[in-house]
Amino acid sequence: MTLASIKDGEYTATVYKMIKEGRYGDAIHILSSELQKQMKSRAALSLLGYCYYYMQDFTNAAECYEQLTQIHPDVEEYKLHYAQSLYGACAYPEAMKATFLLDNPNSHTKMIKLQAAIKYGEEEYSGAKTFVEQLPQEDPDYDVDMGCLLYQEGEYEEACKKFISAMQVLGYQPELSYNISLCYYSLKNYAQALKYIGEIIERGIREHPELSVGLTTEGIDVRSVGNTLVLHETAMIQGFNLKAAIEYQLKNYDAAQEALTDMPPRSEEELDPVTLHNQALMNMDKKPSEGFEKLAFLLQQIPFPPVTFGNLLLLYCKYEYFDLAADVLAENAHLTYKFLSPYLYDFLDAMLTCQTAPEEAFRKFDEMNAKLTEQLRKLAKQETRLARDDEALKKTLQDYDEMLEKYIPVLMVQARIYWNRENYQMVEKIFRKSVEFCNEHDTWKLNVAHVLFMQENKYKEAIGFYEPIVKKHYDNILNVSAVVLANLCVSYIMTSQNEEAEELMRKIEKEEEQISYDDPDKKVFHLCIVNLVIGTLYCAKGNYDFGITRVIKSLEPYNKKLGTDTWFYAKRCFLSLLENMSKHMIMLRDTVVQECIQFLEHCEMYGKDEPAIIEQPLEEDRIHIGKNTVTYESRLLKALFYEVIGWNQ
């Protein structure tokens, strides 16, 4: 509706109707125009402040109420709304100053609650507790506030009791339900947390169908619902974010991403910091550049989710941007003690040292390992002593598992120092020292299998570690990494257990056929990679006739099997073949040469849209888009073939 279409005398009725219908944006447009005509209009300023507050635009709401407090200093309500708006805008010192203007006895309790909230926002929990203790204990907000303070002290069970007690008095409130679920999340009782989150989402959908929950996941294009107070009061954004975090912790990554797309739709500039952080983290594998951009942006905002700093540094290290990690750490030294635990700081410090002084880094990791080993042994002794006390035993086992999850990354990064030097005997030695704690841990078993496999004389021992991993997922064998399946097949072949290798490959083929039947367009590379690795093995042993033929056959049909990963294995074999042919170290039969040329022509035909390599997300010097394709590289290989066999002479 335009201003011109509103008749004289109907402005007030139109604005109130818009507010009643929740069309705050339209009301703001009209009121802003009206305010330009009458700069000090009490009605326009009051309604404008109200609309901005409901839109969660606290900065503009504060400006409106500030003007009102100056024009009408005797109206206590405006002073209260001004302080509340400043608090909403995270302007805590200004908000605290504004609360001192509240001098009406009727506002005293509200003032105390607001002052407690401000101190809590500033993370001055002892100051917040002083204000909360001034509230009458029969006030339901007393339990809520005490619950929040207990949560910050790590007393999650006691905090949970306070929130449940408050809900019994106040009745169902979405934000209280969220607080309870957050306590259960912190206690790692994910089932209970999901139960309360489910209730938040269910009620939100039932009471507010206009919030379009789940439509984005279904692929329906819907407009933003905005950051309204209604959306805030449903606690659905918080609920969906917590659900995503739980699914992510449980390694249900698809469910975690779905929780983020299920939440009410908002445009990117309207997203809250927690949602932005979770989007960055959970889409990192698919959109790493965007993820880094979002996390770096969040680090400049106040406030930002506490885990942002550590996650950004760890992801920089994961993608091997060690210089960037070091820069962020140096530029934000003031955040180090606040947001990084001593363990995480020591871990990152050793990781960064590893790039310039590997021996020094190894020593630092060794010190960390010694401390963690000592703690693991203490917890193991406690387990024995507490065998009859179920609750205490459960808590000790949980602590042990948490400590082990800290120990494993340190051990792996330490081992990687020698892995990168191809000193596999030393890697094995490091793993053997940790056997008393890690012998049941999947990550440890997998890496032990890899290091035994790489030594080329311990295939039988490698089978002993690979087999349990594969058998664990035998009914859904495609859930196992293709490299693990390939290495197990090679180990079988190298120990003359060809029947076992063939049986495993038949099982993979059967599951791939089922997937192709259910979803004809889906690409599955497991059997292809297994065959490629076997082909590579024969090429490495000098049997190029059989090895190259196996590589060629593995990529048929090309429309289903040709991809960045499979091309990586195939081109290595071809480059090795060409190198040996150019040195006249091997002779290839004409029929095999013809097969190779034909294979490269097929790759040229089907590889137009397949990237030859996956570039690093923050790479500045990008490969030309026409050169980073399988088509381009297969043409290069074909040209090399013609040159080596003298076709063009």
Side-chain angles (χ1 to χ4, degrees):
M1 184 181 283
T2 60
L3 293 174
S5 63
I6 304 172
K7 294 176 185 175
D8 284 344
E10 292 184 5
Y11 273 89
T12 305
T14 304
V15 168
Y16 275 106
K17 188 183 176 189
M18 286 175 173
I19 291 170
K20 187 182 176 184
E21 292 171 357
R23 291 159 55 201
Y24 301 111
D26 293 338
I28 286 168
H29 179 61
I30 294 167
L31 290 164
S32 298
S33 300
E34 192 62 31
L35 204 60
Q36 286 173 357
K37 297 175 195 172
Q38 301 177 52
M39 298 290 283
K40 294 186 178 181
S41 167
R42 178 177 177 176
L45 276 169
S46 178
L47 287 170
L48 197 57
Y50 178 86
C51 290
Y52 277 131
Y53 196 90
Y54 264 76
M55 290 279 284
Q56 305 279 279
D57 185 349
F58 299 114
T59 306
N60 278 319
E63 280 182 25
C64 293
Y65 287 121
E66 185 180 20
Q67 288 182 55
L68 284 164
T69 57
Q70 290 166 356
I71 300 164
H72 303 282
D74 53 324
V75 181
E76 186 80 0
E77 195 180 349
Y78 293 150
K79 295 176 190 174
L80 179 64
H81 293 334
Y82 175 49
Q84 287 171 332
S85 299
L86 287 168
Y87 165 72
C90 299
Y92 300 125
E94 294 86 349
M96 185 59 83
K97 195 176 172 185
T99 61
F100 299 143
L101 301 173
L102 297 167
D103 47 17
N104 191 318
N106 296 333
S107 307
H108 183 71
T109 304
K110 287 180 182 176
M111 180 187 78
I112 296 295
K113 288 178 183 179
L114 186 55
Q115 287 173 334
I118 292 165
K119 286 292 177 189
Y120 188 86
E122 289 179 315
E123 298 179 15
E124 287 185 28
Y125 303 121
S126 56
K129 193 172 185 179
T130 305
F131 284 115
V132 172
E133 285 169 348
Q134 293 177 37
L135 294 173
Q137 290 198 13
E138 61 274 10
D139 189 322
D141 284 341
Y142 175 83
D143 273 350
V144 177
D145 292 349
M146 286 306 291
C148 292
L149 290 165
L150 285 164
Y151 181 87
Q152 290 300 336
E153 290 168 10
E155 300 288 340
Y156 305 125
E157 285 186 29
E158 291 305 310
C160 194
K161 287 174 188 173
K162 290 285 183 188
F163 294 135
I164 291 170
S165 164
M167 192 132 81
Q168 286 166 350
V169 176
L170 295 165
Y172 180 82
Q173 287 192 0
E175 60 185 30
L176 277 178
S177 192
Y178 170 73
N179 288 353
I180 294 165
S181 62
L182 191 60
C183 291
Y184 282 124
Y185 170 77
S186 298
L187 289 164
K188 294 189 167 47
N189 187 342
Y190 297 139
Q192 278 293 93
L194 286 169
K195 178 190 159 192
Y196 280 92
I197 292 166
E199 193 175 0
I200 292 168
I201 294 167
E202 198 180 305
R203 280 176 178 258
I205 293 169
R206 190 169 64 244
E207 293 170 13
H208 298 281
E210 74 279 4
L211 293 177
S212 308
V213 170
L215 296 186
T216 307
T217 304
E218 291 169 19
I220 300 167
D221 195 20
V222 283
R223 67 182 182 85
S224 164
V225 298
N227 277 321
T228 61
L229 198 61
V230 169
L231 177 63
H232 178 70
E233 285 171 351
T234 62
M236 277 207 285
I237 297 298
Q238 297 95 312
F240 276 117
N241 271 318
L242 190 55
K243 185 182 179 186
I246 291 169
E247 297 293 2
Y248 191 81
Q249 291 284 359
L250 296 172
K251 295 184 168 52
N252 301 328
Y253 301 121
D254 290 342
Q257 287 178 333
E258 194 175 297
L260 292 181
T261 52
D262 273 349
M263 65 172 61
R266 293 171 295 164
S267 57
E268 194 163 64
E269 59 271 15
E270 292 173 329
L271 296 179
D272 57 286
V274 176
T275 304
L276 201 64
H277 169 272
N278 288 349
Q279 278 188 0
L281 199 61
M282 289 171 204
N283 294 307
M284 204 70 196
D285 289 341
K286 294 176 184 172
K287 298 175 181 176
S289 302
E290 271 186 37
F292 282 124
E293 201 178 312
K294 285 174 181 173
L295 292 172
F297 167 78
L298 280 172
L299 212 56
Q300 309 306 316
Q301 309 306 304
I302 297 174
F304 57 79
V307 290
T308 307
F309 187 50
N311 284 343
L312 179 60
L313 290 166
L314 286 169
L315 286 165
Y316 275 146
C317 290
K318 179 186 174 183
Y319 284 84
E320 299 188 355
Y321 291 121
F322 299 108
D323 289 348
L324 288 174
D327 289 346
V328 169
L329 206 53
E331 288 164 12
N332 298 280
H334 60 291
L335 302 177
T336 304
Y337 298 105
K338 189 174 179 183
F339 295 116
L340 298 183
S341 64
Y343 162 81
L344 187 52
Y345 177 78
D346 290 344
F347 181 79
L348 288 164
D349 178 47
M351 279 280 280
L352 297 176
T353 306
C354 204
Q355 309 319 302
T356 50
E359 288 80 9
E360 174 65 13
F362 189 87
R363 187 190 61 75
K364 287 183 177 183
F365 283 127
D366 228 21
E367 284 177 9
M368 289 185 75
N369 262 342
K371 288 177 192 172
L372 292 164
T373 302
E374 191 184 330
Q375 288 172 298
L376 283 166
R377 286 203 177 105
K378 276 182 187 174
L379 289 165
K381 283 178 186 173
Q382 277 185 339
E383 278 177 46
T384 315
R385 286 205 310 270
L386 298 168
R388 294 181 185 177
D389 186 343
D390 287 350
E391 276 303 308
L393 181 62
K394 189 180 171 185
K395 175 78 171 66
T396 305
L397 286 169
Q398 200 175 59
D399 291 343
Y400 184 89
D401 288 342
E402 280 179 22
M403 196 57 64
L404 192 60
E405 289 307 314
K406 287 182 176 181
Y407 177 70
I408 290 285
V410 175
L411 182 72
M412 293 304 152
V413 181
Q414 192 179 26
R416 191 181 173 192
I417 294 169
Y418 284 98
W419 177 278
N420 289 341
R421 297 176 176 186
E422 297 183 13
N423 186 346
Y424 302 121
Q425 288 84 5
M426 189 61 186
V427 177
E428 187 185 345
K429 189 179 171 185
I430 290 167
F431 285 153
R432 283 193 185 281
K433 279 163 65 178
S434 58
V435 71
E436 68 171 296
F437 307 117
C438 308
N439 62 334
E440 294 300 318
H441 200 284
D442 286 348
T443 304
W444 182 85
K445 286 192 280 191
L446 180 62
N447 283 285
V448 170
H450 287 332
V451 81
L452 292 168
F453 178 84
M454 290 303 291
Q455 290 179 63
E456 296 187 2
N457 60 350
K458 295 186 177 179
Y459 291 114
K460 200 167 185 179
E461 292 93 326
I463 290 169
F465 283 95
Y466 279 132
E467 263 186 352
I469 295 167
V470 173
K471 283 178 179 173
K472 189 177 176 183
H473 301 279
Y474 202 71
D475 293 334
N476 294 297
I477 206 160
L478 299 185
N479 289 346
V480 180
S481 161
V483 171
V484 171
L485 296 172
N487 287 359
L488 181 56
C489 278
V490 167
S491 299
Y492 281 144
I493 292 164
M494 296 306 289
T495 52
S496 305
Q497 299 180 61
N498 290 22
E499 282 182 21
E500 282 84 348
E502 284 171 17
E503 188 189 331
L504 182 59
M505 290 169 78
R506 279 195 295 272
K507 173 71 176 166
I508 298 165
E509 188 175 13
K510 191 179 174 185
E511 283 215 18
E512 284 194 1
E513 281 172 2
Q514 185 59 48
I515 284 178
S516 295
Y517 179 77
D518 296 338
D519 185 357
D521 297 324
K522 188 173 182 179
K523 287 187 173 186
V524 188
F525 297 122
H526 278 63
L527 187 63
C528 176
I529 288 173
V530 170
N531 278 312
L532 281 166
V533 171
I534 292 169
T536 304
L537 170 71
Y538 280 97
C539 289
K541 299 291 180 188
N543 187 349
Y544 283 97
D545 269 23
F546 181 81
I548 284 289
T549 306
R550 184 112 190 192
V551 166
I552 291 168
K553 296 285 181 203
S554 69
L555 276 133
E556 294 172 358
Y558 297 95
N559 63 325
K560 291 272 185 79
K561 302 297 180 186
L562 186 60
T564 306
D565 289 342
T566 53
W567 176 245
F568 170 76
Y569 286 102
K571 71 183 175 188
R572 287 173 72 201
C573 293
F574 276 86
L575 285 165
S576 169
L577 170 65
L578 285 164
E579 185 184 358
N580 282 303
M581 284 174 72
S582 65
K583 292 175 180 175
H584 302 289
M585 291 171 72
I586 58 161
M587 288 291 291
L588 217 56
R589 287 182 292 116
D590 287 350
T591 51
V592 179
V593 170
Q594 203 55 46
E595 276 182 36
C596 290
I597 300 293
Q598 209 170 23
F599 167 77
L600 292 168
E601 284 172 352
H602 281 127
C603 290
E604 189 181 332
M605 189 189 305
Y606 289 99
K608 290 174 185 172
D609 299 321
E610 297 294 341
I613 61 164
I614 302 296
E615 291 186 90
Q616 283 284 68
L618 303 178
E619 198 65 57
E620 288 181 13
D621 300 323
R622 294 274 172 188
I623 302 170
H624 187 282
I625 194 166
K627 291 184 177 181
N628 189 18
T629 62
V630 171
T631 295
Y632 179 80
E633 287 195 353
S634 56
R635 282 177 186 159
L636 281 179
L637 284 174
K638 192 168 72 168
L640 283 170
F641 247 106
Y642 285 146
E643 196 171 326
V644 168
I645 62 177
W647 177 82
N648 56 353
Q649 290 176 5

